[in-house]
Amino acid sequence: MITAIVLIKTTVDRIPEIAEAIAALEHVSEVYSVTGTYDLVALVRVARHDDLADIIPGRISKIPGVEVTDTHVAFRTYSQHDLEAAFAIGLDS
């Protein structure tokens, strides 16, 4: 699974509506409203790199009010959940 982190600048007065439209797209797992340079952060999970082109410039960027996207593709995923599972291997509770 390929994960892309998409930083999104939007029309400020439509952030909630834009976030909901992005979250409704297939392969978008989460959308966060954030502070800072960008208005939204979306997590996109796909099976193939080519799918990113369909989702990000093909759909997200075409939503009215989306002004700029900046995409970062993850090399690896680290999470507390994964670490806990790794340390629990072979332990009986």
Side-chain angles (χ1 to χ4, degrees), residues 2-81:
I2 299 163
T3 301
I5 298 96
V6 186
L7 308 175
I8 305 164
K9 288 185 182 183
T10 69
T11 305
V12 179
D13 63 342
R14 296 198 58 242
I15 291 173
E17 294 85 1
I18 296 167
E20 288 176 10
I22 294 170
L25 295 174
E26 185 178 5
H27 302 295
V28 174
S29 62
E30 296 152 83
V31 178
Y32 298 93
S33 177
V34 297
T35 62
T37 306
Y38 294 91
D39 302 304
L40 301 171
V41 175
L43 296 181
V44 177
R45 300 183 199 294
V46 295
R48 301 174 312 124
H49 282 280
D50 291 346
D51 295 335
L52 293 174
D54 293 333
I55 305 301
I56 299 163
R59 295 189 186 160
I60 292 175
S61 293
K62 292 183 179 178
I63 292 174
V66 171
E67 296 175 351
V68 174
T69 62
D70 185 8
T71 303
H72 301 262
V73 176
F75 292 127
R76 290 189 180 150
T77 301
Y78 302 91
S79 74
Q80 188 63 34
H81 179 350

